[in-house]
Structures are given as structure tokens and as C-alpha cells.
Amino acid sequence: MDQIRIILHIDMDAFYASVEIKDNQELKDLPVVVGIGPNIDNYKGVVSTASYKAREFGIKSGIPLSQAYNKNKDIIVLPARITYYREVSNRIMKILKSYADKFQQISIDEAFIDVSERIKNYDNLIDLINEIKNEIYEKEKLTCSVGAGPNKSVAKIASGFDKPSGITIVKPDEVDKFLNPLPVQKIPGVGKKTRKLLEKNGIKIIEDIKNTSRAKIISLLGKSGAKIYDIATGNDKSEVKPKGPRKSIGFIRSFEIAVHDVTKVYQKIEKLSKLIIKKLRRDGFQFKTVTIVIRYDDFSHITRSSTLGSYIKDYKVLVENAKELFDKEYKGEKRKIKRIGVRVSNLTKSKIKQETLSEYFK
Ligand code: TTP
Ligand code: MG
């Protein structure tokens, strides 16, 4: 028999907003919104997240700030400080790692930890979860919600079950009872489109998936159907695994004032390419694919890539390719540029011993 697994999913509550509130207690219990966009003081941009107070008015991630303002004229909009949130996140992840047999970060504010080895059964799990929550709260003054179960999807669904600051433990023999009544969109990966498709076939809750054959679900949803069926039936076997090898290296920078001047963009491309080569050399990689990201002053953005004939770690080749991609895209374009990014991917470990960096910055 397979060993019973104990997997936790930890998700910080209203993460960006909570970080802002902990730094300014006067904001506690107020409808706080963290905004991202060109001019958030005038409600131009989007809501990255909303405090739980703001959520009472229907304000949520992804809606325009103007819409949030219409829902509640008293909202307090704060600019996102992503670098700072990342620092806080890194410290939280370090705490989580210290409790884990296996650890997998999923996003800036959520992670899975497998604790099957150190806990062995579900009886004392609540103590461990409280210990984790307390340590995070003591050190960072932030709350999180925790879900626990015998597989990753059950843990993930469970962490969202009792937010904010909830703990939901689903023991192996409770999985069916827990999953059955939930709407299908609770399954990670089931978005609007899939939900509609399932609904059209009379499948609304997870129990309905179970009462349909695996083959039928696959014929409806294609490849992802197999995974969705397995999750619905409590058979998600995927492992908590640490982040895989690095897939890309890239940097993105903003212009203080949007530009139309190509030489200014070139200068940025050169700067970003130097940073990339520096990191590439330090980590011992070569690349094959070059990508640029352009964000215009109207907030739209495009991504363009080209793949070279062989693996390269050369600064000049990178700059030339990035500029070429840029030229192709920007020729005749009237809009100004607000942000430019360069990224290399398709990485392989470089076999040649690391040479001095200065060579690449001549
Ligand atoms: P989430 O964990 O999805 O949301 P949350 O932590 O704000 O709230 P919850 O209590 O429901 O977990 O996302 C984590 C952070 O990622 C969030 O604080 C802000 C950012 N984010 C965006 O910038 N845009 C988005 O559309 C979403 C969903 C999140
Ligand atoms: Mg969260």
C-alpha cells in the first residue's frame, strides 16, 4: 500500500494589501486596494489585490481601479511595491521550507509543503499548522490560510476554503465528502471556458465529474481532462517538487517618461543584455532563444522571440538579436514605449569554464 501523504498548501491572506497594512496600522479595517498602473492616483490601472474590508464591496483582483472606486468611494489606493513584497515573500518561504520534507513555491504568496515524513499521521497535524502560522505571524505580522490533505489539489482547494486565516484539514477518508459538493471551478485549472463546457453537459459539481466516465471527460476536455478527472476522484498523484532548473534569465526596466527615441531604447537593451550575460556567466549557462518585451504607454504589451542556430553566451550576439527584434516590431510605430525587457531562454549548462566577466563588457 502507498504511504499516506500529508501535504499542506499555504496561501497568504490578501498578500500585498496585508503587507501595506502591517506597515501602517491606521489602514487596518479600511478598504485598502493595491493598484498597478500608469496613474493610480486618478484610478487609472488595475486592482492587484484588495483587503478583506474592500472585498465586502465586491472589489477584487483584476478589476479596473475606476470600477473599484465606483463600488466604494472611500477606497485607499496604494501603489504596489513588488520588490518589497518579494523580500517579505522570501522570508516567509524560508520559514515554510524549515518545516518541509519537500517544498514547492507556487507563486509570490503560496507554497506546498510535504510533511509526511515528519508527521506520519493526521492526528497532530493541527499543532504543526498552528506552529507554522504562529511563526509567520510573530516574525512578519501576517496571516495565512492553510489547507491540508493527502494530495496537492485537495490541499490547494482546502486552503481557499476558510479564508482569511483559516485551517482546513481533509483526512484521506474525508476526501470524497469534501470534494463532492464543490462547483467544478474549484478544481485548479478549471477556468471559465472549461466550466461552461462542463455545464453544457450537465456537469456542475465535482460529484458530477465522478459520475461521468474518464473517457467522456477526456473526450470533452482533451488532454487536460485526464488530470481534471483524477483530481475530482481524489487521485492526484503529483509530487511536491522543488523548483526545477532555471528556464530563463531576463530583466525588464521602465522609462520614467515614455520614449519614442530608438537610441534610448537601444541603450536600455544594452544595459539589460549586460545584466543577463553577467547572470548567465555566473550561473554557467548558454542560451539559444532571445525574447524582447515591449510595453507601450497605452499599457498594451507585445513579446517577440527568435531562436538562434546554436547555444551562445556572447554579449554582442544577444544585443544584436534583441535590437533586431525590436527594430522589426517598432518600425513605423507611433506609440511611445514605457517599458522594455530582454530575456534569454532555452538554456543549457555551459561546458566551458567561466572566463573573466570583463571580457564580456568590453
Ligand atoms: P492571491 O493569493 O491570489 O490573492 P491574495 O493573497 O491577495 O488574497 P487571498 O487572501 O484571496 O489569497 O495573490 C497573491 C498576490 O498576487 C496578491 O496579493 C496580489 C498579486 N496578484 C496580482 O497582482 N494580480 C492578480 O490578478 C492576482 C490574483 C494576484
Ligand atoms: Mg493569497
Side-chain angles (χ1 to χ4, degrees):
M1 203 183 90
D2 289 347
Q3 194 212 348
I4 286 173
R5 295 192 296 162
I6 306 173
I7 294 170
L8 310 188
H9 180 260
I10 300 97
D11 188 319
M12 303 307 294
D13 300 321
F15 185 50
Y16 293 3
S18 304
V19 173
E20 295 298 340
I21 291 168
K22 89 172 163 122
D23 284 354
N24 182 358
Q25 281 299 306
E26 282 172 17
L27 299 173
K28 207 170 155 261
D29 305 322
L30 295 179
V32 173
V33 164
V34 176
I36 295 181
N39 185 356
I40 63 162
D41 290 336
N42 290 314
Y43 305 104
K44 292 215 167 73
V46 293
V47 173
S48 76
T49 195
S51 69
Y52 275 79
K53 184 72 202 171
R55 290 182 200 195
E56 286 174 18
F57 302 91
I59 298 167
K60 55 182 183 183
S61 298
I63 67 167
L65 286 170
S66 54
Q67 200 176 316
Y69 177 73
N70 283 336
K71 288 177 186 290
N72 184 344
K73 305 269 186 282
D74 295 327
I75 51 169
I76 291 154
V77 182
L78 301 170
R81 298 187 287 163
I82 309 284
T83 315
Y84 176 45
Y85 308 146
R86 200 155 276 146
E87 285 167 18
V88 178
S89 162
N90 288 342
R91 292 198 299 267
I92 293 167
M93 294 301 155
K94 217 166 138 192
I95 295 174
L96 294 178
K97 231 178 193 168
S98 75
Y99 286 93
D101 300 330
K102 293 180 207 158
F103 167 85
Q104 182 178 9
Q105 183 172 351
I106 299 298
S107 73
I108 192 163
D109 86 324
E110 61 178 309
F112 287 109
I113 62 174
D114 186 323
V115 295
S116 316
E117 287 295 325
R118 65 185 64 198
I119 285 289
K120 300 271 193 296
N121 65 58
Y122 280 75
D123 299 341
N124 303 321
L125 184 55
I126 186 77
D127 297 337
L128 179 82
I129 294 174
N130 277 319
E131 206 183 315
I132 296 172
K133 276 171 66 75
N134 288 341
E135 182 170 345
I136 293 175
Y137 191 76
E138 268 164 30
K139 292 193 169 145
E140 300 296 338
K141 295 285 170 288
L142 293 170
T143 63
C144 60
S145 299
V146 181
N151 66 52
K152 283 164 77 174
S153 14
V154 168
K156 164 115 183 150
I157 296 167
S159 75
F161 201 70
D162 187 22
K163 261 186 167 291
S165 201
I167 298 174
T168 304
I169 297 174
V170 184
K171 292 181 183 163
D173 60 357
E174 297 168 345
V175 169
D176 279 345
K177 195 176 73 189
F178 175 72
L179 291 178
N180 279 346
L182 298 176
V184 290
Q185 64 266 31
K186 290 282 176 196
I187 295 177
V190 173
K192 222 176 180 175
K193 230 171 92 189
T194 308
R195 174 175 63 89
K196 284 204 170 135
L197 200 63
L198 289 170
E199 266 177 15
K200 242 175 41 196
N201 286 274
I203 300 167
K204 289 196 174 119
I205 58 173
I206 293 182
E207 192 172 16
D208 298 332
I209 298 183
K210 280 187 196 162
N211 291 332
T212 312
S213 71
R214 195 168 193 270
K216 173 83 197 280
I217 298 293
I218 293 172
S219 81
L220 280 176
L221 304 179
K223 239 168 55 187
S224 64
K227 173 98 184 144
I228 287 168
Y229 183 84
D230 291 344
I231 292 174
T233 48
N235 287 314
D236 173 14
K237 298 260 191 289
S238 60
E239 294 275 333
V240 174
K241 49 177 176 297
K243 233 202 266 164
R246 187 174 260 292
K247 291 206 171 73
S248 69
I249 297 173
F251 294 95
I252 191 154
R253 289 286 183 275
S254 299
F255 293 97
E256 223 163 277
I257 300 162
V259 296
H260 197 265
D261 182 351
V262 171
T263 51
K264 287 208 170 119
V265 180
Y266 277 3
Q267 282 168 3
K268 275 266 199 273
I269 288 178
E270 286 161 14
K271 225 177 196 166
L272 296 170
S273 300
K274 274 183 187 164
L275 287 172
I276 290 172
I277 295 294
K278 198 171 160 186
K279 196 158 174 42
L280 203 71
R281 303 286 306 165
R282 200 176 54 208
D283 297 350
F285 284 112
Q286 294 182 290
F287 64 90
K288 215 171 176 180
T289 300
V290 180
T291 301
I292 59 155
V293 181
I294 305 172
R295 202 170 94 197
Y296 293 107
D297 58 353
D298 65 0
F299 223 45
S300 65
H301 73 274
I302 63 106
T303 303
R304 293 287 176 267
S305 299
S306 74
T307 296
L308 314 168
S310 57
Y311 288 103
I312 301 285
K313 57 178 181 347
D314 187 67
Y315 168 72
K316 264 194 183 154
V317 178
L318 172 57
V319 170
E320 269 164 27
N321 275 276
K323 284 183 181 171
E324 200 179 305
L325 283 168
F326 172 75
D327 288 343
K328 247 194 241 165
E329 193 56 39
Y330 202 57
K331 221 173 171 182
E333 177 61 58
K334 298 253 175 342
R335 286 175 295 176
K336 289 182 177 168
I337 293 170
K338 187 64 189 144
R339 260 160 99 72
I340 181 87
V342 181
R343 185 168 71 230
V344 297
S345 56
N346 220 333
L347 303 179
T348 185
K349 275 277 175 194
S350 173
K351 286 188 193 70
I352 303 147
K353 231 179 124 223
Q354 189 165 353
E355 291 140 53
T356 55
L357 274 176
S358 56
E359 189 190 336
Y360 293 87
F361 295 115
K362 274 185 232 161

